[in-house]
């Protein structure tokens, strides 16, 4: 298996599992080669490694192995032979490994816009915006840039799915603007009516 990230980013491994699921597993891992030996197991067998009392510990060790080979590198390769993982969840059946990972930028930029102001994200020619996270609302101890109006109590009130919305608006573009209000996100304001909300976007510019 090969994991690869664009220039200016490195691999951040989040999840790993090994085996197969259901009748066909992942279609790219099927072939004319029989999926069972001497009728040992039916082809609809599900066997994600490991299914045992020590599963939690072993899953952790599988993740550790992938992290050890790939974490913080721009590209990595490893063999999907059962010997690599110190165990075969379903002998005689074709298996696959599934890895979920992100490409984490070397450097991040952060911009904050107070309620009804605009966040402008701009990258140099040849580069594109890559959103890492976004938050809209308030946090009780991190809102100094957009202080509450006089007499309004501090509160923590964050809107769900802010990152996903900002990604839809900006991810992969050379420039974009996002207005810091609930209309942008199509949901009711998460804070009390008198609170001053703000939008914080963490992003980078990548090739």
């Amino acid at each position: 298996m090969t994991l690869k990230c664009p220039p200016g980013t490195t691999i951040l491994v989040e999840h790993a599992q090994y085996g197969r699921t259901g009748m066909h597993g992942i279609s790219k891992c099927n072939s004319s080669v029989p999926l069972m030996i001497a009728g040992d197991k039916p082809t609809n067998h599900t066997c994600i490694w490991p299914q045992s009392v020590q599963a939690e510990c072993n899953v952790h060790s599988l993740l550790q192995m992938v992290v050890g080979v790939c974490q913080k590198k721009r590209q990595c390769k490893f063999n999907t032979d059962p010997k690599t993982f110190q165990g075969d969840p379903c002998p005689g059946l074709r298996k696959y490994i599934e890895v979920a990972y992100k490409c984490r930028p070397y450097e991040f930029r952060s911009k904050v816009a107070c309620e009804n102001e605009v966040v402008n994200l701009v990258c140099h020619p040849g580069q594109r915006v890559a959103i890492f996270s976004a938050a809209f609302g308030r946090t009780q101890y991190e809102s100094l840039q957009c202080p509450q109006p006089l007499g309004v109590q501090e509160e923590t009130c964050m809107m769900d799915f802010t990152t996903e919305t900002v990604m839809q608006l900006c991810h992969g573009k050379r420039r974009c603007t996002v207005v810091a209000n609930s209309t942008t996100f199509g949901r009711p304001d998460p804070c009390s009516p008198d609170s001053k909300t703000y939008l914080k976007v963490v992003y980078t510019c990548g090739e």
Side-chain angles (χ1 to χ4, degrees):
M1 172 172 275
T2 299
L3 308 184
K4 188 175 182 180
C5 283
T9 64
T10 57
I11 294 167
L12 177 63
V13 180
E14 296 190 324
H15 171 75
Q17 69 179 25
Y18 179 58
R20 67 177 290 109
T21 349
M23 181 66 72
H24 300 295
I26 291 181
S27 58
K28 68 180 287 187
C29 299
N30 293 326
S31 74
S32 57
V33 178
L35 293 181
M36 60 180 181
I37 296 176
D40 182 46
K41 285 185 170 65
T43 54
N44 66 351
H45 189 67
T46 294
C47 46
I48 294 299
W49 184 84
Q51 299 289 342
S52 68
V53 182
Q54 294 84 20
E56 187 174 337
C57 177
N58 288 331
V59 166
H60 184 63
S61 67
L62 171 64
L63 185 60
Q64 277 186 324
M65 188 282 295
V66 179
V67 166
V69 174
C70 297
Q71 194 86 322
K72 296 185 178 180
K73 297 180 181 178
R74 193 187 150 209
Q75 182 173 336
C76 69
K77 292 183 182 180
F78 54 88
N79 197 307
T80 58
D81 187 276
K83 295 177 183 176
T84 305
F85 308 110
Q86 300 177 352
D88 191 336
C90 31
L93 295 180
R94 293 175 62 81
K95 297 164 282 289
Y96 59 86
I97 182 167
E98 185 176 11
V99 178
Y101 71 101
K102 290 181 178 180
C103 294
R104 183 185 179 95
Y106 293 141
E107 297 178 352
F108 296 99
R109 306 177 188 185
S110 177
K111 287 200 172 182
V112 175
C114 299
E115 188 172 349
N116 292 320
E117 293 179 354
V118 174
V119 169
N120 289 299
L121 308 182
V122 181
C123 293
H124 294 302
Q127 293 188 322
R128 294 293 181 267
V129 172
I131 302 297
F132 188 74
S133 67
F136 177 71
R138 286 191 75 80
T139 51
Q140 191 168 354
Y141 302 107
E142 297 180 349
S143 305
L144 297 178
Q145 194 164 334
C146 302
Q148 288 280 49
L150 188 63
V152 177
Q153 188 175 357
E154 268 296 0
E155 62 175 322
T156 295
C157 44
M158 303 303 294
M159 181 173 285
D160 295 331
F161 305 111
T162 305
T163 299
E164 290 82 352
T165 302
V166 176
M167 285 182 72
Q168 290 174 1
L169 294 171
C170 297
H171 207 69
K173 296 181 179 179
R174 193 193 152 210
R175 61 175 66 227
C176 74
T177 58
V178 185
V179 182
N181 60 34
S182 56
T183 303
T184 297
F185 303 99
R187 295 181 180 86
D189 198 311
C191 302
S192 58
D194 293 330
S195 280
K196 189 179 182 72
T197 55
Y198 68 92
L199 172 65
K200 180 179 180 181
V201 179
V202 180
Y203 74 105
T204 190
C205 291
E207 297 179 6

